Amino acid sequence: MSKEQITALIKEGLDRAIAEGKLPAVDAGRIELDRPKRKEHGDWATNLALAVAGKVEMNPRQVAEAIKDSLPEAPDVISGVEVAGPGFINFHLAPHFVRAVLLEIEEKGAGFGACKVGAGRKVQVEFVSANPVGPLHVGHGRWAALGDALASVMSHAGYDVEREYYINDYGTQVNNFGLSISARYLEALGMDAEFPESGYRGQYIDDIARRIVDQHGDEFARMPQDERVSAFIEMEYPRMLGSIGATLEHMNVVFDVWFSERELYRKGEVEQAVTELEKKGQAYRDTGALWLRTTGYGDEKDRVLVRSNGEPTYFASDIAYHRDKMLRGFDLIIDIWGADHHGYVARMKAAMEAMGFGAEHLEVILGQLVKLFRSGEPVTMSKRTGEIVTLDELLDEVGADAARYFFLQRSADSPLDFDIELAKRESPENPVFYVQYAHARICSILTYAAESGADMSAPTGEDLDTLTEPSEMDLLRKLAELEEMVEFCAERRAPHRLTGYAEELAQAFHAFYRDCRVVTEDECLTRARIFAVRGVRQVLEVVLGLLGVTAPEKM
RNA sequence: GCCCACGUAGCUCAGUGGACAGAGCAACUGCCUCCUAAGCAGUAGGCCGUCGGUUCGACUCCGACCGUGGGCUCCA
């Protein structure tokens, strides 16, 4: 990759300039090399001279000139170097070197753009993890898209990644679920029933209740309330979980592990975790409850692990869960939570410290919420009546590709305005089609080339040298950026930047298409351009694959 | 009140301490005898919330303030 090679050249240039006495000895630190925003500033630029000028008490431009003059010759890589602006050193890559990206794509195929920053570290990304007490809503779709794409891009960056869904199948929420069904069930039978205060009021609860009546009549009405509620829980939460799984599958999100909270309790892990913390002196008893001393690790106040009635809190089981993750050998745990859980981050990190794992092993990504719009008008969602737009409804309406792409366009820190009508529109204002269209267009060109008898075999080096049009060179340069994008998105946990790259690549391709015919009378050029266009197709497939969006051959 | 995030074009948002701040939409103007016009080219649109600080250099880092959203349970 060009970045390392140029960094090495700069380092050598600096060392040589010092050795030749043009510069005083100085520690350059880490050499920064960036893609300049403006094309005329070349392919790569370094601010080294600006950074060093103060230390050596020289004019930055003089420093830059000195380094430039001492740079080793590298005609295979660089075609030009200049000092510009306040003291940047700009590098222009040799065209031959730019074209070489096509050979790399050919060689690496689906592995193109991969890198090794992850160094094989074991990472778990846990996301969605919605309580199995109702259908997924649109916000869950965002976490699903985000978690899945993050896992993909980190995997491409050399991490060993697992995707996990945590099932809260224990405690208050499932109990409320059972109580809600029970109330609707009795109502459906014309009996009096008090609907629980914090019950689930969605239509789907009525549907479940009615289905039970249809299948079982009033047989559950004769049991004691507790027995009926737990019967309903056991019957219905697995079914709900199944339907959540189906929705996620509909969105092409596949988890490696579905982890049950009940299992944690069944295996005694919650108790073990609590006992361990007590033994370590991290927990104390006060007013009948057991408290974790999270204030020792930066939390605002200590938190209850076991209530005075003997019941462990959700926090306790969450601690046990994170302990279990660490014991499974992950180097890094990434949790994706809704922004409404942000108050929970400090205490969970404190708990990691209290357990002796180190808070740096846990990263929490807080996703802002999704607001739905339809033609500019907000789609109202009411918790009170339980009227929500489900993820299934959204997927049915706009399709998995558009939904995923829209969810991924914004950084997790930004609330997302999702316009259903825009996502549905099959027109240029919809960016997902813009990118997919580039892929379809390439497929169509390749079909045309084959049908018109063009030579589809690999080009020679001389053939490749016929690629000289500015817009085709720009396209090749864009291809070469994938690897640093992957590294950036993985390290910053920012898969949304990949959508921007996808659009830039598509744009570069469409500009190429405008200027350059692929199938021409010139056999050398035709071989080279077919090869180039295949490379673009490969890279589009990689990027769309990381985003979890399909790459259609026809549109 | 305290904690966190956000504040960039008319709208929705990108933006990695660097050079003249970007995209899409919306508005306006052109371009199909052609491998897909789901495309391309162009015009217009900015006090990067405000004020200070750090730096050779700040949309970017720090502080204060203003605005928006979220959180501050022996809830999950």
Side-chain angles (χ1 to χ4, degrees):
Chain A
M1 188 195 169
S2 60
K3 190 172 182 178
E4 282 80 30
Q5 296 178 46
I6 293 173
T7 305
L9 289 177
I10 295 168
K11 194 162 169 16
E12 206 179 325
L14 177 69
D15 290 347
R16 207 187 280 184
I18 292 168
E20 289 167 0
K22 288 187 227 160
L23 289 177
V26 63
D27 177 24
R30 214 176 64 84
I31 293 175
E32 276 185 49
L33 194 62
D34 293 311
R35 299 251 183 211
K37 270 187 230 155
R38 312 185 70 78
K39 226 198 231 171
E40 55 277 24
H41 295 144
D43 294 298
W44 291 103
T46 183
N47 64 350
L48 178 63
L50 289 150
V52 156
K55 292 188 202 165
V56 300
E57 294 184 344
M58 282 174 69
N59 175 319
R61 284 196 66 110
Q62 284 176 345
V63 177
E65 289 292 348
I67 297 169
K68 181 193 151 190
D69 289 344
S70 299
L71 284 173
E73 296 284 315
D76 290 346
V77 180
I78 288 169
S79 64
V81 183
E82 78 238 348
V83 173
F88 292 103
I89 307 174
N90 295 336
F91 297 84
H92 298 261
L93 293 176
H96 186 75
F97 190 82
V98 172
R99 291 177 200 117
V101 72
L102 293 173
L103 301 170
E104 192 189 338
I105 295 167
E106 162 88 343
E107 184 199 326
K108 295 186 175 163
F112 179 77
C115 65
K116 297 197 167 71
V117 274
R121 268 173 293 169
K122 271 193 78 172
V123 178
Q124 184 213 56
V125 185
E126 182 223 317
F127 57 108
V128 186
S129 299
N131 295 329
V133 297
L136 294 179
H137 57 69
V138 171
H140 293 124
R142 188 175 188 191
W143 319 145
L146 181 69
D148 191 46
L150 178 63
S152 295
V153 77
M154 287 185 78
S155 172
H156 212 58
Y159 291 90
D160 178 8
V161 185
E162 256 185 39
R163 294 163 170 84
E164 181 154 313
Y165 186 115
Y166 182 50
I167 309 161
N168 294 111
D169 49 8
Y170 182 96
T172 319
Q173 300 298 337
V174 278
N175 202 45
N176 280 336
F177 180 56
L179 285 168
S180 306
I181 299 171
S182 172
R184 295 294 186 228
Y185 171 78
L186 296 177
E187 279 171 18
L189 292 168
M191 300 167 69
D192 275 346
E194 199 182 330
F195 197 80
E197 177 80 18
S198 49
Y200 298 100
R201 289 167 195 280
Q203 176 65 40
Y204 68 96
I205 296 286
D206 301 60
D207 297 343
I208 290 169
R210 206 159 306 133
R211 195 190 68 235
I212 297 173
V213 171
D214 288 348
Q215 290 173 355
H216 303 273
D218 65 354
E219 83 181 65
F220 292 99
R222 298 190 292 266
M223 332 180 143
Q225 166 88 352
D226 285 0
E227 225 172 282
R228 177 174 54 248
V229 168
S230 58
F232 286 171
I233 292 172
E234 298 320 307
M235 285 162 59
E236 296 304 330
Y237 102 76
R239 189 189 287 269
M240 191 54 81
L241 194 58
S243 109
I244 286 171
T247 304
L248 290 166
E249 209 168 294
H250 189 177
M251 227 178 118
N252 303 315
V253 175
V254 177
F255 288 90
D256 301 301
V257 177
W258 294 75
F259 193 97
S260 153
E261 184 179 9
R262 278 187 187 188
E263 285 293 295
L264 273 179
Y265 277 97
R266 200 185 55 77
K267 292 195 230 152
E269 291 196 49
V270 179
E271 218 182 304
Q272 278 170 40
V274 169
T275 315
E276 235 176 72
L277 286 167
E278 242 182 320
K279 271 191 196 145
K280 286 183 176 160
Q282 302 287 352
Y284 62 92
R285 294 210 169 265
D286 185 43
T287 60
L290 185 70
W291 299 72
L292 183 65
R293 209 183 305 278
T294 52
T295 45
Y297 306 99
D299 196 9
E300 294 171 341
K301 50 181 283 194
D302 291 340
R303 309 290 176 176
V304 172
L305 287 173
V306 183
R307 300 182 184 94
S308 41
N309 67 7
E311 277 291 307
T313 56
Y314 180 82
F315 186 43
S317 77
D318 227 11
I319 288 173
Y321 178 41
H322 284 81
R323 173 176 165 276
D324 183 277
K325 292 185 187 197
M326 289 306 291
L327 296 179
R328 278 187 268 163
F330 291 108
D331 300 306
L332 180 62
I333 293 169
I334 299 178
D335 291 355
I336 299 180
W337 298 346
D340 53 339
H341 287 69
H342 96 87
Y344 204 71
V345 176
R347 80 184 72 165
M348 200 60 237
K349 289 205 166 220
M352 290 287 288
E353 291 284 350
M355 286 188 286
F357 291 125
E360 72 278 8
H361 293 286
L362 171 66
E363 281 181 23
V364 180
I365 296 177
L366 294 173
Q368 295 292 324
L369 306 177
V370 178
K371 271 183 234 151
L372 277 184
F373 289 80
R374 196 181 283 281
S375 310
E377 291 300 310
V379 177
T380 51
M381 281 185 269
S382 159
K383 265 251 169 77
R384 194 180 50 77
T385 60
E387 285 309 316
I388 56 161
V389 176
T390 66
L391 181 54
D392 267 327
E393 287 163 354
L394 184 76
L395 291 172
D396 283 345
E397 194 165 353
V398 311
D401 284 343
R404 287 192 64 135
Y405 197 93
F406 272 59
F407 285 139
L408 286 170
Q409 267 186 310
R410 309 291 178 228
S411 90
D413 290 334
S414 258
L416 179 70
D417 286 358
F418 192 118
D419 192 317
I420 296 173
E421 293 304 325
L422 177 61
K424 263 167 80 174
R425 247 181 285 173
E426 298 191 355
S427 62
E429 62 242 38
N430 190 339
V432 64
F433 289 113
Y434 181 80
V435 177
Q436 289 182 316
Y437 178 56
H439 183 268
R441 219 176 196 186
I442 291 169
C443 293
S444 160
I445 291 170
L446 291 172
T447 306
Y448 174 87
E451 280 169 1
S452 50
D455 180 1
M456 306 292 280
S457 61
T460 63
E462 279 173 22
D463 291 340
L464 283 182
D465 287 341
T466 60
L467 302 176
T468 54
E469 281 292 320
S471 52
E472 73 190 334
M473 293 303 284
D474 287 346
L475 177 59
L476 301 186
R477 285 179 226 273
K478 193 51 79 179
L479 294 172
E481 285 178 27
L482 179 64
E483 184 178 329
E484 40 195 285
M485 282 309 304
V486 167
E487 180 177 334
F488 178 90
C489 292
E491 293 306 274
R492 299 287 292 252
R493 324 282 188 243
H496 73 282
R497 293 290 296 276
L498 231 32
T499 61
Y501 174 74
E503 285 161 44
E504 285 168 20
L505 179 57
Q507 184 174 38
F509 169 73
H510 290 308
F512 158 84
Y513 180 88
R514 173 196 67 222
D515 295 338
C516 306
R517 265 197 82 85
V518 173
V519 181
T520 63
E521 297 298 307
D522 181 338
E523 286 181 19
C524 298
L525 183 62
T526 301
R527 271 195 299 275
R529 284 193 173 151
I530 287 173
F531 192 64
V533 141
R534 275 185 171 151
V536 177
R537 182 177 65 174
Q538 177 67 70
V539 175
L540 282 169
E541 274 165 18
V542 170
V543 176
L544 288 171
L546 292 173
L547 294 171
V549 173
T550 61
E553 296 191 3
K554 274 193 181 137
M555 289 177 74

